[in-house]
Amino acid sequence: MINSADLIICGFGGLSLVCGIAVAALSFLNKKRFSAICTLYKEKLGSLPAGAIIFDNADYIEFSSGYAAKINFIVNPLIFGKRSVDSTNDDVAFIKDLPPHLKNWFIVEYASLL
């Protein structure tokens, strides 16, 4: 017989699975957006932060901590309003002023991780 504790555990397990698949799909889809943001960033502010350069080919499935370091320069200013750790520029205004079709998907990806 299935009790409510089993249903809760299965529900959280299913939700975790769905969020994991969503994050993996979003990280794959955000590769082009990431490249576009990097190009705009270099044009406006000069060089990219170290994490974005070092972990350029990292993705969420193979190397999640490298992927987190890679997109840190987008997520920190966008969600927390703080300069990214690796950046030598005050990039908060630049990231927040990006077109919605570039930045909103990173917010969705971050929300899926929670």
Side-chain angles (χ1 to χ4, degrees):
M1 179 160 190
I2 297 176
N3 60 24
S4 45
D6 292 337
L7 287 175
I8 291 171
I9 291 171
C10 287
F12 280 124
L15 182 63
S16 296
L17 180 65
V18 168
C19 286
I21 292 170
V23 168
L26 285 169
S27 71
F28 177 76
L29 295 172
N30 278 342
K31 282 184 182 184
K32 286 184 181 179
R33 293 179 191 98
F34 178 78
S35 296
I37 291 172
C38 287
T39 302
L40 293 171
Y41 192 96
K42 283 191 257 184
E43 289 173 2
K44 175 93 176 184
L45 300 173
S47 65
L48 287 169
I53 295 169
I54 294 169
F55 299 112
D56 182 40
N57 293 323
D59 69 12
Y60 184 75
I61 294 173
E62 296 171 1
F63 186 40
S64 59
S65 58
Y67 182 74
K70 173 177 130 176
I71 66 165
N72 178 41
F73 87 99
I74 298 170
V75 172
N76 260 3
L78 188 59
I79 294 175
F80 302 111
K82 296 180 180 178
R83 181 176 65 85
S84 67
V85 177
D86 297 335
S87 179
T88 57
N89 304 310
D90 188 15
D91 49 7
V92 176
F94 169 77
I95 296 293
K96 289 195 177 221
D97 289 340
L98 287 171
H101 73 276
L102 289 176
K103 66 181 179 180
N104 288 347
W105 288 105
F106 287 98
I107 296 170
V108 172
E109 182 179 352
Y110 182 79
S112 297
L113 287 169
L114 300 177

